[in-house]
């Protein structure tokens, strides 16, 4: 079966193009300790980290959710560029898409500033026409904003 070439490809970022589970796990457990909660296993992180921070943290931390979000972001940003790991084959896929001149973008629930820093750190920024993250739009994925 032959499929037509797409006119655009939109990627998620975390754990689609880069392996950030270890970073998320470590940052979340630093936050849990700070907030007086028990740490989470990697299995619990993978099973429960599905929503954006703006959607998940108010339920998890109540009135302290903004404090929790700031702490988490600072913990994550303190190590993300050094520990960022591309998924196997991701760059090759991006190169093929670029060779075919297909519109390529990233839409992520990661804060836009961190998303763009990671893409540039990997030397991948030029592959994407747009890199849209949380705080770049009114609502996070899965909203169509």
């Amino acid at each position: 079966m032959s499929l037509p070439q797409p006119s655009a490809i939109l990627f998620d970022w975390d754990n689609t193009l880069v392996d950030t589970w270890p970073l998320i796990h470590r940052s979340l457990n630093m936050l849990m300790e700070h907030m007086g909660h028990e740490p989470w296993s990697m299995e619990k992180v993978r099973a429960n980290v599905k929503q954006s921070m703006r959607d998940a943290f108010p339920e998890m931390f109540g009135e302290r959710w903004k404090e929790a979000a700031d702490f988490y972001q600072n913990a994550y940003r303190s190590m993300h560029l050094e520990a960022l790991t591309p998924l196997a084959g991701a760059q090759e896929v991006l190169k093929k898409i670029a060779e075919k001149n297909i519109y390529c973008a990233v839409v992520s629930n990661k804060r836009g500033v961190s998303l763009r820093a990671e893409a540039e750190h990997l030397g991948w920024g030029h592959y994407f026409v747009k890199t849209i993250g949380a705080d770049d739009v009114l609502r996070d994925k899965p909203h169509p904003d």
Side-chain angles (χ1 to χ4, degrees), residues 117-145:
E118 290 180 7
E120 290 303 321
H121 178 75
L122 293 174
W124 292 4
H126 67 281
Y127 291 125
F128 309 114
V129 176
K130 297 274 186 187
T131 50
I132 301 169
D135 297 339
D136 291 335
V137 292
L138 184 61
R139 298 178 298 175
D140 300 326
K141 291 185 329 182
H143 298 287
D145 299 7

Side-chain angles (χ1 to χ4, degrees), residues 44-63:
K44 185 170 183 176
V45 170
R46 286 179 182 247
N48 289 284
V49 174
K50 307 244 184 257
Q51 296 177 296
S52 71
M53 225 178 4
R54 288 192 290 188
D55 292 337
F57 276 25
E59 184 177 321
M60 291 173 67
F61 300 107
E63 292 180 6

Side-chain angles (χ1 to χ4, degrees), residues 58-132:
E59 184 177 321
M60 291 173 67
F61 300 107
E63 292 180 6
R64 294 180 66 197
W65 83 268
K66 288 184 181 179
E67 172 194 348
D70 288 342
F71 187 94
Y72 175 86
Q73 285 295 315
N74 289 332
Y76 185 91
R77 281 193 299 262
S78 74
M79 64 186 138
H80 74 127
L81 296 180
E82 294 77 25
L84 190 64
T85 306
L87 285 172
Q91 186 167 7
E92 290 76 18
V93 168
L94 295 173
K95 283 180 184 178
K96 290 285 185 192
I97 292 168
E99 287 169 8
K100 295 185 176 286
N101 293 315
I102 298 170
Y103 180 101
C104 187
V106 174
V107 181
S108 174
N109 278 334
K110 172 175 279 176
R111 286 199 170 155
V113 101
S114 295
L115 171 64
R116 288 181 284 279
E118 290 180 7
E120 290 303 321
H121 178 75
L122 293 174
W124 292 4
H126 67 281
Y127 291 125
F128 309 114
V129 176
K130 297 274 186 187
T131 50
I132 301 169

